[in-house]
Amino acid sequence: MHHLQLAAHVKGRVERGVGYVKGNFLSGLELPDFAALGQAAQVWLESVANVRVHRETHRRPTDLWADERAHLHAVNPRPFDVGRVLTLRATRQFRVNFEANRYSVPARFAGAQVTVKAYPDRVCIYHGEDLIARHARSFERHRDIEDPDHPKVLVAQRRHARDAQVLRRFFALTPLAVRYHAGLLERRGHALVHVRKIVALAEIYGDDAVMRALTDALAFEAFSSEYVAHLIEARSRQLPEASPLVLMRRQDVLELELPPADLSAYSDFARGHDDGGSDGHD
């Protein structure tokens, strides 16, 4: 019975403490996010709760803490791990879904099984025993939290695949493309930039036009996409060649054999004049 009374007494004291925090600290307080709660509580403790005179002890908590500190043992240097542990699988988009939010892991762990340790302020993600990702914990919902370093390997792989495709397209233009590419590597700092532009020219003007321009550029040892574009445009501006002009001498014109003319109408007209006039009267 004594233990029950003691427990009730302690319970009431705890409840009064909770009521004090609610009424003095949390009453009307608006915080932008959960992370700001700890900082606000620390300011409240230092400026209000710990410097007031306690109703039962009649002393300030900060003064009691100074007396009690000398009798306390050192804190364990290895604190107890209070993280919530879950085993999850990363998605194809190298994300781990946790409490309606998505946290990134390095792209190479897409689809892998990982261990998530959730702490009040952070989310740590492990693959085996290796820490592969660490994020500030979000208490909002439907947020995508990404470390900018995580997609870098994937982006590099995709860029490499695109560059290889562009090079294959360039080498297919003409057998001379290999030699022209070697010249670009030797003369230009960013050979692939010129290759992309030349391939784009082939899409606009056609492979034959680019092939002729590359042949001419290689002959002049001019290694640049701008020069290739200049050659293509210059060729497209050329007027078509004039057809041969045949000049004939006057004598040749006179000696032309013309088809026999139909003179029947003229003969009838002349015969009428010989018979005594054109109007038919004597």
Side-chain angles (χ1 to χ4, degrees), residues 3-18:
H3 293 292
L4 293 176
Q5 292 176 349
L6 181 61
H9 173 70
V10 173
K11 181 174 181 294
R13 179 177 297 177
V14 171
E15 290 180 349
R16 286 196 300 272
V18 173

Side-chain angles (χ1 to χ4, degrees), residues 87-277:
T87 299
L88 302 172
R89 186 171 295 278
T91 66
R92 290 184 177 182
Q93 291 74 35
F94 50 95
R95 297 292 193 273
V96 174
N97 296 318
F98 173 66
E99 291 186 342
N101 290 312
R102 299 181 300 275
Y103 296 88
S104 70
V105 295
R108 66 181 182 276
F109 294 105
Q113 184 171 288
V114 297
T115 299
V116 176
K117 284 190 175 181
Y119 298 91
D121 62 335
R122 66 192 187 278
V123 173
C124 299
I125 305 174
Y126 295 82
H127 184 257
E129 296 183 356
D130 297 329
L131 177 65
I132 61 173
R134 178 189 176 102
H135 300 277
R137 183 171 178 177
S138 173
F139 288 91
E140 299 182 27
R141 296 176 64 84
H142 309 298
R143 292 286 305 280
D144 185 75
I145 298 98
E146 181 183 75
D147 186 326
D149 290 333
H150 289 167
K152 282 185 176 179
V153 174
L154 181 62
V155 171
Q157 291 174 347
R158 291 177 177 175
R159 183 184 299 114
H160 179 73
R162 289 196 300 269
D163 292 345
Q165 183 178 3
V166 169
L167 279 174
R168 287 194 297 269
R169 176 77 173 91
F170 176 73
F171 291 143
L173 291 172
T174 170
L176 298 177
V178 175
R179 290 174 54 192
Y180 199 80
H181 182 254
L184 287 172
L185 290 174
E186 181 180 354
R187 308 286 181 87
R188 300 293 174 180
H190 301 282
L192 195 57
V193 174
H194 292 272
V195 169
R196 290 197 193 100
K197 293 181 179 179
I198 294 173
V199 169
L201 290 171
E203 300 300 325
I204 298 172
Y205 297 99
D207 292 5
D208 292 341
V210 174
M211 180 183 65
R212 290 194 299 267
L214 284 176
T215 302
D216 295 341
L218 187 62
F220 290 104
E221 296 186 354
F223 299 99
S224 121
S225 57
E226 289 79 7
Y227 190 79
V228 173
H230 171 73
L231 289 175
I232 294 174
E233 293 175 0
R235 187 181 295 271
S236 66
R237 287 196 302 266
Q238 290 179 356
L239 295 176
E241 295 182 0
S243 59
L245 179 61
V246 179
L247 298 178
M248 302 180 67
R249 296 176 302 170
R250 183 177 182 183
Q251 181 181 356
D252 295 333
V253 175
L254 296 176
E255 293 178 355
L256 285 176
E257 294 184 0
L258 297 176
D262 185 4
L263 302 178
S264 58
Y266 176 76
S267 300
D268 294 340
F269 175 79
R271 187 180 302 111
H273 281 277
D274 293 339
D275 292 340

Side-chain angles (χ1 to χ4, degrees), residues 26 28-32:
L26 296 177
L29 181 64
E30 294 184 2
L31 297 173

